[in-house]
Amino acid sequence: MNLASPFSLSVVAITALALLGLPIGHSMIAGSILYLWLAGLDMGTSAEQLLNGLYTSYILLAVPMFILAAELMNAGTMTDRLLQFCNAVVGRFRGGLAQVNVLQSIIFAGMSGSAIADAAGTGKMMQQLMTKDGKYPASYAAALTAVTSVIGPIIPPSIPLVIYALISDASIGYLFIAGIVPGLLLALTQMIIVAIDARRKNFPVEKPVPLREFPAITLRAFPALMLPVVLLVGIRGGVMTPTEAAAVAAGYALLISVVIYRSVTPGQLYHALLNSARTTASIGMLIAGALVFNYVVTVENIPQSLSVILQSWDLSPMGFLILVNILLLILGCVLEGTTILLVIVPVLIPTAETLGVDMVHFGVMVVVNIMLGLVTPPYGLLLFIMTRIAEVPLRDLVHDVMPFLYAMIAALMLITFFPSLVLWLPRLLGYQG
């Protein structure tokens, strides 16, 4: 590649602007405009691509709705009720509070679709519970909260899977269903590590919840527990599209928090709406930048050129998937996950299609990989968030994260080598891919 070509200078500009502190979405827009100017193309094309991508994509409406649902969940007593339910289920075992941390992430995964929302919401609460009276080391509690938060964007609903559906034209409904088993597999690996650590480090046993209280605790949490069921049944039954399901999720969360639990004040509702708008704007700018830059990538014919190169290597579909995993794991150490999903993955999709890789399996594998990047040193965004929440040194946090990360990478390899783990449930429900 010519280092003085418009594309090369565009990439250099994006990198330089990002390093100077400009948000990556703005950096991509500026770099793309520079490319159009240097290439002698109409710079107004950048605005056209941005507007067409954002305002003609019905699927993107799901993102703010899922974010709002998560904010409403965290604003009221819904979180407390669900944590009580989790504690009643697994709290009686050694290291039970740590197991509660894993279980609550499985349950909240069906509500927020965002790892960062889980870490900043219920994760902060679990950090306080685990470190109270010195029950667990602060770094271990923070590490566990970070790794359990990655379950959220895999088990439906999932904002990364919504974005993947946007760039790949894969079915959101089947992507959501395909994410269930991999998400549970990650949770299982985390529970196994916790069980081993509980015996090795002699973690405390919590006071067991009497069985006679379990029905009442379940009843109090039941409306919240039904949200993922309502979404999946509605999508699978054809009652609603995934985008409509996102609106239903927000409306359902509002109904439960305000009408049934009566736990959200007008002020809390205002702040939930405000936080949702801020988060949506941040994600929207990132998507906008990626849409414009992807146009540049398309004009340069990079996906097709990469496809030709990879085909010349005579890779098998499995060899290609292994290569993609290695590439994404390395990129996950230094890049933010949404950037990888919006900029790197579209370049890989044509090759995957040419090799006959199932787009639903590929999407789930990619999203799992990208989520692992959130807890992979040195960049892992969740690591930085938890160091601020827990006020622990990054070095200690990374030390406690690594056993969980190794176990989750092993789970990723299972997902890669055995597509049936991902696809059997969608096929059971009619998927023909």
Side-chain angles (χ1 to χ4, degrees):
M1 180 183 294
N2 184 359
L3 295 180
S5 69
F7 182 75
S8 298
L9 293 175
S10 171
V11 172
V12 170
I14 292 171
T15 304
L17 290 171
L19 291 174
L20 289 172
L22 191 68
I24 186 65
H26 295 77
S27 300
M28 285 191 287
I29 292 174
S32 301
I33 292 174
L34 175 64
Y35 169 85
L36 294 172
W37 178 62
L38 292 175
L41 300 174
D42 182 7
M43 289 188 288
T45 305
S46 59
E48 179 185 355
Q49 292 297 316
L50 188 155
L51 293 174
N52 285 341
L54 287 179
Y55 293 105
T56 63
S57 180
Y58 179 65
I59 188 176
L60 283 179
L61 288 175
V63 174
M65 292 295 100
F66 283 135
I67 292 172
L68 178 58
E71 289 291 339
L72 291 170
M73 292 284 180
N74 290 328
T77 61
M78 194 177 300
T79 301
D80 296 331
R81 294 168 188 262
L82 289 172
L83 287 177
Q84 289 173 7
F85 172 78
C86 295
N87 187 52
V89 175
V90 297
R92 64 185 65 243
F93 305 109
R94 180 166 296 280
L97 197 55
Q99 299 289 12
V100 168
N101 200 336
V102 181
L103 184 59
Q104 65 86 20
S105 284
I106 298 173
I107 293 175
F108 276 90
M111 301 173 192
S112 72
S114 167
I116 294 172
D118 286 351
T122 57
K124 186 174 183 179
M125 185 177 298
M126 286 305 308
Q127 179 72 24
Q128 294 170 347
L129 289 173
M130 290 182 68
T131 55
K132 186 178 180 181
D133 300 325
K135 292 179 180 178
Y136 294 82
S139 62
Y140 185 87
L144 181 59
T145 297
V147 298
T148 57
S149 297
V150 306
I151 299 172
I154 300 169
I155 296 178
S158 164
I159 292 173
L161 285 177
V162 169
I163 296 173
Y164 173 80
L166 171 70
I167 62 177
S168 68
D169 291 328
S171 164
I172 307 180
Y174 286 124
L175 281 167
F176 278 7
I177 294 167
I180 295 174
V181 172
L184 294 177
L185 180 61
L186 287 184
L188 177 62
T189 63
Q190 293 168 3
M191 284 183 160
I192 291 172
I193 298 297
V194 167
I196 294 171
D197 287 343
R199 292 190 176 277
R200 187 166 59 89
K201 300 179 180 180
N202 197 31
F203 286 155
V205 178
E206 302 299 315
K207 182 180 178 180
V209 176
L211 291 178
R212 66 178 180 275
E213 296 181 12
F214 189 77
I217 292 173
T218 303
L219 184 62
R220 286 196 295 270
F222 184 75
L225 291 170
M226 284 301 295
L227 176 55
V229 177
V230 169
L231 295 183
L232 288 179
V233 170
I235 294 171
R236 180 66 191 93
V239 178
M240 60 186 90
T241 66
T243 302
E244 292 165 346
V248 169
Y252 187 82
L254 181 64
L255 176 68
I256 294 174
S257 300
V258 175
V259 179
I260 297 178
Y261 292 157
R262 298 181 182 179
S263 58
V264 175
T265 65
Q268 289 174 321
L269 178 59
Y270 169 77
H271 284 294
L273 292 169
L274 188 62
N275 290 337
S276 300
R278 287 172 175 165
T279 305
T280 300
S282 176
I283 295 175
M285 283 307 304
L286 187 56
I287 293 174
L291 289 170
V292 178
F293 185 68
N294 285 344
Y295 173 76
V296 172
V297 170
T298 303
V299 170
E300 286 287 307
N301 211 30
I302 289 175
Q304 289 72 23
S305 300
L306 180 63
S307 180
V308 170
I309 292 171
L310 291 176
Q311 288 178 41
S312 69
W313 293 356
D314 199 24
L315 290 171
S316 66
M318 190 55 62
F320 170 73
L321 292 180
I322 293 172
L323 181 64
V324 168
N325 270 325
I326 294 171
L327 173 64
L328 295 185
L329 282 171
I330 294 172
L331 290 176
C333 296
V334 293
L335 291 178
E336 196 270 331
T338 309
T339 305
I340 297 174
L341 191 58
L342 289 168
V343 178
I344 307 299
V345 174
V347 177
L348 301 172
I349 286 176
T351 304
E353 290 177 326
T354 301
L355 292 173
V357 174
D358 184 272
M359 283 294 99
V360 169
H361 173 235
F362 186 68
V364 172
M365 184 200 78
V366 163
V367 168
V368 170
N369 198 313
I370 289 173
M371 290 306 103
L372 296 189
L374 292 173
V375 292
T376 302
Y379 181 79
L381 184 58
L382 283 174
L383 299 180
F384 292 116
I385 289 174
M386 290 313 302
T387 56
R388 291 198 296 269
I389 290 176
E391 297 181 351
V392 296
L394 181 61
R395 178 184 66 257
D396 296 344
L397 180 59
V398 169
H399 176 269
D400 287 326
V401 157
M402 294 313 293
F404 291 100
L405 183 58
Y406 294 145
M408 291 191 295
I409 290 175
L412 172 63
M413 292 300 101
L414 284 176
I415 293 167
T416 302
F417 290 131
F418 301 99
S420 57
L421 282 173
V422 176
L423 298 176
W424 76 269
L425 189 53
R427 284 172 178 165
L428 185 66
L429 298 176
Y431 178 61
Q432 301 297 319

